[in-house]
Amino acid sequence: MMAREMAEQPQVLQRLLARCSEVHAMVREIVLARPAGIVLLARGTSDNAAVFGRYLLEATLGVPVGLAAPSLWTRYDRHADLRGQLLIAVSQSGETPEIERIVRLVQAAGASTIAITNDADSPVATAADGSIALHAGVEQAVPATKTFTAQLVALALLAGALTRRDIPALKDLKLIPALQNELLSDVEGVRSIAASRLVGARAAVVVGSGFLYAIALEAALKLLETTSLPVLPYSASDLVHGPIAVAAPDVPVICFAAPGPVRRDVEAAAVAARDRGAPVIWISERLMDTDAVDEHLAIPGTVAEPVVALLHAVRAQQLALEASRAFGVDPDAPRGLQKITPTR
Amino acid sequence: MMAREMAEQPQVLQRLLARCSEVHAMVREIVLARPAGIVLLARGTSDNAAVFGRYLLEATLGVPVGLAAPSLWTRYDRHADLRGQLLIAVSQSGETPEIERIVRLVQAAGASTIAITNDADSPVATAADGSIALHAGVEQAVPATKTFTAQLVALALLAGALTRRDIPALKDLKLIPALQNELLSDVEGVRSIAASRLVGARAAVVVGSGFLYAIALEAALKLLETTSLPVLPYSASDLVHGPIAVAAPDVPVICFAAPGPVRRDVEAAAVAARDRGAPVIWISERLMDTDAVDEHLAIPGTVAEPVVALLHAVRAQQLALEASRAFGVDPDAPRGLQKITPTR
C-alpha cells in the first residue's frame, strides 16, 4: 500500500494544483488583511509539513510564524491572545480530537482559522473558518506519504493566496508531478543504499537546512517508523556542534541539499560527518565539490527551493520503503503502529 | 570541570535570584507595553533553554511566542516585520556571530531586543537593547551545565518582569538552590543506572512534556555529547505515535515527569515503552501508579511546574556525567567537540 500510495502522488498534486483559484477564493474570503502573525498547529508527520510551512510563510509573508505548543491549550489551559493572527491546522485525517479542540479555542481567542485535511468534511475542517481538502484518496499504509506532499503543496497555495500575488519561488510547482514520476521509477540506487548502508547500521543521522530541514525531520520519522532504527534529524548548523559526536562508521549520515544559500552549511556537515568515519549519503541535484560523499541519490530537474522539497520528500519515502524491505519489515504496518492519532 | 561547574549551580542561581529587581528595572526601561509577540533566538543548549522560555512566556504573558529560524535571517535574507515584538537572544558565550547579526537585523526591523548571555560585555549583549548577564563564571567543560540552568532562571525573571506582577508559579524559585544541593550529593542511583542501563544500550529515548519537554531535549543533547550514544528526545504525545517503534530491550526510555496536567501523558508513554520491552527510567518526585518503571530517580521537595524543571535539569546533567564516566569518556572534552559555536 505504501508503494502504491507513493505512486499516486503526481496525480494528487496535479489535481491539487488545478484547484489553485478555489483555494485563493476561500482564503480571500476569510483573511481580509495581512495577519499580524501565523501559528501552525499539527502533530507527527503533519508537524513536519508545518515546519516547511513555518519557513515558507515567514519567507513569503514577512510576518512572524511559529508552531503551536498544543499542551498549553489542552493541558495547561493557557490560551494566548491570538487576535489578528491566522491559525493553520494541519491534520491528515482531520480527526485528532486535540487539534479540533484547539481550533475551536483559537477561534474563541479571536484568530482566523484554516484547516488542511484530507477530506472536506473532517471534524477539524468543519471546525475551522475555511479549509483546503487534499482529496488525496484513502491512505491505508501507516507511513503517510501522498498526504504529506499534498500538505506541502496546500501550504504553498496558501502562501500564494495570502500574499495576493504570484510568488516567483513557487512557479516551478507545475513541474513537480512529471519530475516525481521520473523519481518514482528510479529505485535501483535507493535499494542498493538501503541494503548496503542501512542494514547493519547502529543508527542513522539525517541532515537538512532551511526549507529542507522539514524533509530531514520527515525522513527521520519515516525511516524510524519503518525500520525501528534510531534515526536522528538535525539542521546542519545544530549537527556540527554537539550532535556530530554520534556520527561513526556504523552510523551513516543522510544529507538533503539543494542549490541555494544553505547548501554550503549542509556540505560542511557532510565533511564533518566524513571526518568521523560516517558514510555520507548525499541527496541533491549534483555532487559536492569535495569528495566527502559515499553514495549519491540524484534529484532531477533544475527546480529551486522551496519547491524542490517535494522531490526530496519522495527520496525520503523511497529510502524508508526500501529500508523496510531490506530489513524484512512490512512497510504498511511496521511493528504494530496505528494509523489514527489518538491524542485527546 | 563538568562536575565542578555542576556543583556551582546553587550559588549561581542564588546570585541571579538576588538580582531580580535589577532585571525588572532593565526590562521596564526597554519594554514599555505588552509585546504583540515574542521571538526567541538561540542555538544548541541555549535553544533548549529557549524552548523552556517558549512555554513559560506564552503561559505567563498570553501572547504568541515562537523560536526564530536563524537561516531565514542570515542565509535567505528574509526579514520578518517584527514591529511591536520582543526578541530574546539566548547565547551562552554571547559570541556567536550569527546570533549577534540577527539581533542587529531584528532591531532594524523594529523589535525590542533583550540578550541573555554569561557576561555583560559579550558582543550579543552589547548589540541588544538590554541584557541579563548570568555571571555564572567561566564554563570550561564542553557540556554546558551551570549556564543552562541560569538561562532558565533568567527567562523566569524576564517572565516576571514582563507581566509586571508576581507569578504564583514562580514563587518556588527561592527553594531551588537548597534542593539542587540536596540533589547534587545524591549520585549513587544515577551511577548505578548509567552502569546498568546505559552501558551496552544501542540507543536511548528521552521523554518530557509541557515545561519538561525542554529538559528532555537538553538531557538527550547532553547524553549524546558525552557518550556518543544515539539519544532521541520526544514529547510524550509525539513518542506514542510513530517513534515508539524505536523502544526495545536495549533502548531504554528516560522519562521526566512532574505533578501537573501532562503527567498522565508521560505515564502513558512509559507504559507504551514498557509494552515494547524497553527499560523505563522514571525521573519524578514519586513513582507511577502502575508498575511500568524499572528505575526511579527521585526529585526532592514539592516544587511544581515550571520551576521544578531546574531540578530535573540537574538529574539530566548527572545522567550525562555518570554515563560518560561509565563509558570511559572524558566528560569535559568528549570526542573532540569544541566549546565555542562557530556558526556565522
Side-chain angles (χ1 to χ4, degrees):
Chain A
M1 293 182 292
M2 184 180 175
R4 195 187 60 217
E5 288 163 4
M6 282 167 59
E8 291 168 9
Q9 291 177 101
Q11 280 180 290
V12 169
L13 300 196
Q14 193 81 65
R15 287 200 305 264
L16 198 46
L17 290 173
R19 286 162 51 215
C20 182
S21 51
E22 176 199 319
V23 170
H24 281 223
M26 179 274 292
V27 171
R28 279 161 203 188
E29 209 165 286
I30 289 164
V31 187
L32 303 176
R34 188 174 83 152
I38 295 176
V39 178
L40 288 147
L41 169 66
R43 286 278 192 199
T45 290
S46 303
D47 206 32
N48 298 336
V51 170
F52 178 80
R54 185 252 172 276
Y55 280 79
L56 180 64
L57 291 161
E58 185 165 314
T60 53
L61 259 78
V63 299
V65 181
L67 300 179
S71 67
L72 286 180
W73 293 87
T74 57
R75 292 289 189 261
Y76 294 96
D77 285 322
R78 308 303 301 181
H79 304 162
D81 179 355
L82 295 188
R83 280 172 295 180
Q85 303 258 333
L86 170 65
L87 179 111
I88 301 169
V90 189
S91 168
Q92 189 268 119
S93 67
E95 290 176 8
T96 311
E98 178 193 43
I99 303 290
E100 183 194 350
R101 189 172 152 211
I102 298 173
V103 167
R104 294 190 190 278
L105 289 169
V106 164
Q107 280 178 320
S112 307
T113 55
I114 291 177
I116 298 174
T117 68
N118 202 2
D119 298 314
D121 57 356
S122 70
V124 172
T126 308
D129 300 326
S131 75
I132 305 176
L134 305 177
H135 294 317
V138 179
E139 191 168 56
Q140 290 179 293
V142 166
T145 54
K146 61 182 178 179
T147 53
F148 175 72
T149 48
Q151 286 168 346
L152 302 188
V153 169
L155 287 161
L157 295 180
L158 201 43
L162 287 166
T163 54
R164 289 168 158 71
R165 58 180 166 77
D166 283 338
I167 302 172
L170 299 183
K171 70 173 169 20
D172 286 348
L173 273 172
K174 62 183 181 304
L175 305 175
I176 292 299
L179 290 168
Q180 281 188 338
N181 267 323
E182 191 177 322
L183 265 180
L184 285 161
S185 62
D186 173 29
V187 292
E188 272 312 307
V190 185
R191 200 165 288 159
S192 148
I193 288 169
S196 66
R197 302 290 181 179
L198 296 176
V199 172
R202 190 161 49 90
V205 170
V206 189
V207 188
S209 204
F211 293 103
L212 296 185
Y213 176 50
I215 305 301
L217 293 171
E218 174 62 3
L221 179 61
K222 282 283 160 296
L223 260 176
L224 185 154
E225 277 183 2
T226 55
T227 66
S228 303
L229 201 67
V231 187
L232 300 106
Y234 295 104
S235 81
S237 299
D238 285 333
L239 177 68
V240 294
H241 307 143
I244 191 72
V246 83
D250 56 353
V251 181
V253 175
I254 303 166
C255 301
F256 289 92
V262 296
R263 185 185 174 90
R264 62 185 161 127
D265 298 307
V266 185
E267 289 188 351
V271 170
R274 196 65 184 301
D275 285 349
R276 288 173 177 263
V280 170
I281 299 162
W282 183 255
I283 304 177
S284 187
E285 89 295 351
R286 63 172 173 81
L287 274 167
M288 290 173 56
D289 297 333
T290 73
D291 61 354
V293 169
D294 296 277
E295 305 280 358
H296 178 220
L297 280 179
I299 297 291
T302 55
V303 176
E305 293 179 297
V307 172
V308 76
L310 287 157
L311 302 179
H312 289 82
V314 172
R315 283 303 197 199
Q317 297 163 357
Q318 290 177 316
L319 268 176
L321 176 66
E322 297 303 332
S324 72
R325 287 172 171 166
F327 278 65
V329 180
D330 175 8
D332 298 331
R335 288 193 64 183
L337 295 177
Q338 288 176 36
K339 179 78 187 167
I340 294 215
T341 304
T343 309
R344 286 186 180 272
Chain B
M1 293 182 291
M2 183 180 174
R4 196 187 60 219
E5 288 164 3
M6 281 166 59
E8 291 168 11
Q9 291 178 103
Q11 281 180 291
V12 169
L13 299 196
Q14 193 82 66
R15 287 200 305 265
L16 197 47
L17 290 172
R19 286 162 53 216
C20 182
S21 51
E22 174 198 319
V23 170
H24 281 221
M26 179 277 290
V27 170
R28 280 160 203 190
E29 208 165 286
I30 290 164
V31 186
L32 304 178
R34 188 175 83 152
I38 296 176
V39 178
L40 288 147
L41 170 66
R43 285 279 193 199
T45 289
S46 303
D47 205 31
N48 298 337
V51 170
F52 179 79
R54 185 252 172 276
Y55 280 79
L56 180 64
L57 291 161
E58 186 166 312
T60 52
L61 260 78
V63 299
V65 181
L67 301 178
S71 67
L72 286 180
W73 293 87
T74 58
R75 292 290 188 261
Y76 294 96
D77 286 322
R78 309 302 302 182
H79 304 163
D81 180 353
L82 295 187
R83 281 173 294 182
Q85 304 257 333
L86 170 65
L87 180 112
I88 302 170
V90 189
S91 168
Q92 188 267 120
S93 68
E95 290 176 8
T96 311
E98 177 193 44
I99 303 290
E100 183 194 351
R101 190 172 151 214
I102 298 174
V103 167
R104 294 191 190 278
L105 289 170
V106 164
Q107 280 178 320
S112 306
T113 55
I114 291 177
I116 298 175
T117 68
N118 201 3
D119 298 315
D121 57 356
S122 70
V124 172
T126 308
D129 299 326
S131 76
I132 306 176
L134 304 177
H135 295 316
V138 179
E139 191 168 57
Q140 291 180 292
V142 166
T145 54
K146 60 182 176 177
T147 54
F148 175 72
T149 48
Q151 286 168 346
L152 302 188
V153 170
L155 287 162
L157 295 180
L158 201 43
L162 287 167
T163 54
R164 288 165 159 74
R165 57 182 167 75
D166 283 339
I167 301 173
L170 298 183
K171 69 173 171 19
D172 286 347
L173 273 171
K174 61 183 183 305
L175 305 175
I176 292 298
L179 290 169
Q180 281 187 337
N181 267 324
E182 192 177 320
L183 265 182
L184 285 160
S185 63
D186 173 29
V187 292
E188 274 311 308
V190 185
R191 200 166 287 158
S192 147
I193 288 169
S196 66
R197 303 290 182 177
L198 296 176
V199 172
R202 191 161 47 90
V205 169
V206 190
V207 188
S209 205
F211 293 104
L212 296 185
Y213 177 50
I215 305 303
L217 292 171
E218 175 62 2
L221 180 60
K222 283 284 161 294
L223 259 177
L224 186 154
E225 277 182 5
T226 55
T227 65
S228 303
L229 201 65
V231 187
L232 301 106
Y234 295 102
S235 80
S237 299
D238 284 334
L239 176 68
V240 293
H241 306 145
I244 191 71
V246 83
D250 57 352
V251 181
V253 175
I254 302 166
C255 301
F256 289 93
V262 297
R263 185 184 173 92
R264 63 184 159 126
D265 298 307
V266 185
E267 289 188 350
V271 170
R274 196 68 184 303
D275 285 348
R276 287 173 178 265
V280 169
I281 299 162
W282 183 254
I283 304 177
S284 187
E285 90 294 351
R286 64 172 172 83
L287 274 167
M288 290 173 55
D289 297 331
T290 73
D291 61 353
V293 168
D294 295 279
E295 305 279 358
H296 178 219
L297 280 179
I299 297 292
T302 54
V303 176
E305 292 180 294
V307 171
V308 75
L310 287 156
L311 303 179
H312 289 83
V314 172
R315 283 303 195 198
Q317 296 164 357
Q318 290 176 317
L319 267 177
L321 177 66
E322 296 304 333
S324 72
R325 286 172 171 163
F327 278 63
V329 180
D330 175 7
D332 298 332
R335 290 194 63 183
L337 295 177
Q338 287 177 36
K339 180 80 187 165
I340 294 218
T341 303
T343 309
R344 283 183 184 277

